[in-house]
Amino acid sequence: MSLPRPSPPSAPSHLAGLFSRAELEAEAKRLESRIRQPERWGLEMCRMIAPMTLRINQLKRQQDVIILAHSYQTPDIVYGVADEVGDSYGLSKKAMAAPQKGILFSSVRFMAETAKILNPTKRVLLPEPTAGCSLADGVTVEDVRRLRREHPGVPVMGYVNTSAAVKAEIDVCCTSANYLDIARRMPGNELIFVPDRFMGAHLASSLAGQKKVHIHSGECEVHVQFDAASARAWRKQASDAGRKLVILAHPECDPKVLVEADYIGSTEKMMDYARKLEAEGKVDVMPITECGTADRMRAEMPGLTIYGACVQCPHMKKSTLASILSALESPTAEQVVELPAKVIEGAKRSLDAMFAFAETK
Ligand code: 13P
Ligand code: SF4
């Protein structure tokens, strides 16, 4: 799999002279060895970013801030400054458990809002305040109210990729790590699911005969780009070369893609599954999701051969070391996540319901 080349960043001039030559060189080597992609993130590139990662790590310690980064963030963020990396479920739990005074969420708005809802008294920073999500933009409060009118008494489950205001309208939240389990545990034989039509279709087919699922029309602009024919073509190419390809897919993909997959799961579950494959000596893997997952597999499972072509999320890829640095140095009002108390209260109810369902064995 070939991944897009990162554009070389330049460290802001006010960092010049803050660190010694030896500190900068050691940091550049640390970054290069952790990212493990010398062709894209070589020592020269790591030298350019070293002043920023050193300064960000210094500031986060001084300010008692934890940096949470979603798997789709770029390797300089994931391996340079993040304290925790994972999927939206894991990171929301890390946000809840964090002892630090503040949280910086390197990701998109709905994840930072979720951290704020779970930690209303903490300062939550979102370095790129315009980083949105096509799924979160795909459903409004009015859509949820209309669906409730159309299906009276039917509970509403909403994907975590929604605005805080929508979370305050639904009955239970879910993530890609738990949507099937939670839907199964919900009372009744009908369910409204917003906003993802593909995840909704997967839910409906998995629950056929047990529950009728009423699905909204949202979609992820990244995962909609994957197609079943190319998954089959990659499998054939591997098989022609005498290799057995294992295909892992994110549930935001079209169900036609999901049927080609050997495993379906959240970004972190895909990572866990790939770790298991590597341990068993099954090294030919195709992750069907955003490019950040392949970046992580290269760094953390160097024994794997990664197939396929990934797609970058333009929203996730807005985050940069420069915007993280500016959010720590002097955050703008937009970089500090604020939500009305009433929205926090309502949204917390649907998140608490998710944790109650998801954590009950
Ligand atoms: P995960 O919770 O699986 O990381 O997914 C979040 C997301 O936005 C995927 O597109
Ligand atoms: Fe939203 Fe898709 Fe980007 Fe995830 S990959 S943040 S679902 S647009």
Side-chain angles (χ1 to χ4, degrees), residues 181-196:
D181 284 346
I182 294 181
R184 280 198 186 97
R185 289 169 184 187
M186 293 281 285
N189 52 14
E190 281 185 68
L191 184 67
I192 297 167
F193 180 67
V194 296
D196 189 345

Side-chain angles (χ1 to χ4, degrees), residues 118-225:
L118 298 170
N119 294 276
T121 59
K122 286 191 186 179
R123 187 165 80 157
V124 176
L125 297 169
L126 174 62
E128 290 291 344
T130 62
C133 166
S134 66
L135 273 172
D137 290 343
V139 61
T140 62
V141 165
E142 194 33 58
D143 289 326
V144 178
R145 291 182 182 160
R146 180 183 44 77
L147 285 161
R148 281 200 197 274
R149 283 195 300 275
E150 287 169 9
H151 308 284
V154 175
V156 183
M157 183 167 94
Y159 193 31
V160 71
N161 298 41
T162 44
S163 67
V166 165
K167 285 187 181 74
E169 286 290 320
I170 60 177
D171 298 302
V172 63
C173 200
C174 69
T175 77
S176 53
N178 54 35
Y179 65 106
L180 284 170
D181 284 346
I182 294 181
R184 280 198 186 97
R185 289 169 184 187
M186 293 281 285
N189 52 14
E190 281 185 68
L191 184 67
I192 297 167
F193 180 67
V194 296
D196 189 345
R197 67 187 178 105
F198 291 144
M199 192 178 282
H202 185 237
L203 203 50
S205 62
S206 307
L207 298 178
Q210 298 165 53
K211 245 184 231 295
K212 182 165 174 43
V213 185
H214 305 281
I215 306 164
H216 189 58
S217 55
E219 64 184 28
C220 163
E221 68 188 74
V222 173
H223 290 87
V224 73
Q225 296 183 49

Side-chain angles (χ1 to χ4, degrees), residues 70 72 87-89 110-111 159 161 176 223 250 252 266-267 316:
H70 186 263
Y72 296 164
D87 63 13
S88 45
Y89 188 68
F110 77 83
M111 289 195 201
Y159 193 31
N161 298 41
S176 53
H223 290 87
H250 194 278
E252 288 169 17
S266 74
T267 53
M316 286 281 184

